[in-house]
Amino acid sequence: MSQRPFTLIQLSDAHFLEDPEGLYRDQSPDACLAQLKPALKALKPDGLVLTGDMAEDGSRPAYERVVTHLEGLAPQVGWIPGNHDDVDEMASVFGSAGYDSGPLLHWGGWRLALLNSVVENDPAGELNQDQLSLLDCLGQDPQPTLLFVHHQPMAVQSPWIDRFPLRSPEELMNRLDPQWARAVAFGHVHQIFSVVHEGVQYLSAPATSVNSQAQMERFTVDPTGPKARWFRLMPEGRWATGVISAGMV
Ligand SMILES: [Fe+2]
């Protein structure tokens, strides 16, 4: 097995619209992602994981333009949906592009669990019995694992988004053991967040579109622009992570 670290980038909450000229929170989601792209390329990622809300309106053209933007960026792409996504359109476009919805990926000697937390017509999330059963299976093999889910399993102290969390997060947390579960990475919150809970790190990827300043009652635009989270995964289970911003090349 190669000892080279595996570089993974988590992209989240691109909020593309059907109209390529359309605006999300007064900014162009396409332009935001384009602005971030040189920094993403500079990391030479081995894989991308898209953690939902890649479209604001669930439209096919939005997903098609996401694929166009990400073309050639990494040899492998995994994805989960968010509350704004149309899962059927997303699966159709991303499936044709060769993107993988898992639910398990095996990258760089690690196991990645892609958990679908979407509940139809509900901005909050939940893990269904299939997802919980998957977690029970994972616990039987202590392979280093990263878990991805769209909704935040704990409050990020921003009331505007904490109204729409992952419900019943204890069903997730009680199934995780730091012996195998290294981190849970989520999107949805449009800000940077990281905390260790019972030996497992919970962290967010800020949006590739518009972010909010942290710990705000209402969405308050963060002027530092689009972002993404990177991970370097070592085969023996060590890992590192950080946030990348547009302009960091
Ligand atoms: Fe979301």
Side-chain angles (χ1 to χ4, degrees):
M1 181 186 295
S2 159
Q3 291 302 301
R4 192 177 73 82
F6 186 97
T7 300
L8 185 159
I9 298 179
Q10 181 190 359
L11 299 173
S12 208
D13 300 271
H15 288 274
F16 273 38
L17 296 141
E18 179 167 12
D19 177 2
E21 307 290 320
L23 300 181
Y24 168 74
R25 295 188 187 273
D26 298 327
Q27 294 188 42
S28 159
D30 296 60
C32 285
L33 186 53
Q35 195 190 344
L36 187 59
K37 227 158 97 178
L40 303 177
K41 268 188 187 162
L43 279 180
K44 297 185 171 60
D46 300 296
L48 309 176
V49 175
L50 318 179
T51 51
D53 288 356
M54 299 309 285
E56 165 73 0
D57 55 11
S59 66
R60 191 173 186 88
Y63 297 118
E64 288 171 341
R65 290 205 320 285
V66 168
V67 170
T68 302
H69 273 268
L70 300 183
E71 212 168 299
L73 193 54
Q76 303 177 85
V77 182
W79 67 275
I80 49 175
N83 50 295
H84 284 273
D85 289 307
D86 181 310
V87 181
D88 292 338
E89 288 290 10
M90 198 179 194
S92 167
V93 176
F94 285 2
S96 298
Y99 295 4
D100 198 337
S101 60
L104 286 181
L105 306 178
H106 298 275
W107 289 358
W110 281 62
R111 191 169 57 179
L112 311 182
L114 306 180
L115 303 174
N116 181 349
S117 57
V118 169
V119 179
E120 210 173 336
N121 300 319
D122 191 345
E126 211 165 78
L127 296 178
N128 65 22
Q129 198 51 53
D130 287 350
Q131 315 288 307
L132 298 177
S133 300
L134 174 68
L135 291 171
D136 289 332
C137 287
L138 296 181
Q140 291 165 20
D141 174 6
Q143 195 186 346
T145 303
L146 270 187
L147 301 106
F148 292 91
V149 63
H150 180 70
H151 296 85
Q152 73 276 32
M154 65 220 345
V156 298
Q157 309 307 326
S158 286
W160 71 268
I161 195 66
D162 282 337
R163 283 193 281 278
F164 310 119
L166 181 74
R167 285 192 294 262
S168 306
E170 69 284 352
E171 292 189 315
L172 167 68
M173 291 173 173
N174 292 345
R175 286 174 165 83
L176 303 185
D177 181 334
Q179 202 191 355
W180 60 271
R182 298 296 197 272
V184 178
F186 52 89
H188 190 55
V189 299
H190 293 245
Q191 62 197 272
I192 300 171
F193 177 85
S194 178
V195 72
V196 176
H197 175 72
E198 294 180 347
V200 178
Q201 191 149 8
Y202 291 80
L203 30 80
S204 70
T208 69
S209 56
V210 188
N211 285 296
S212 173
Q213 296 173 42
Q215 303 192 351
M216 287 290 169
E217 186 71 36
R218 292 167 185 277
F219 191 105
T220 307
V221 173
D222 173 352
T224 62
K227 295 182 176 55
R229 177 168 290 283
W230 59 264
F231 294 87
R232 282 203 206 278
L233 308 176
M234 325 303 171
E236 67 276 23
R238 290 182 301 113
W239 62 290
T241 188
V243 168
I244 188 165
S245 289
M248 288 174 61
V249 183

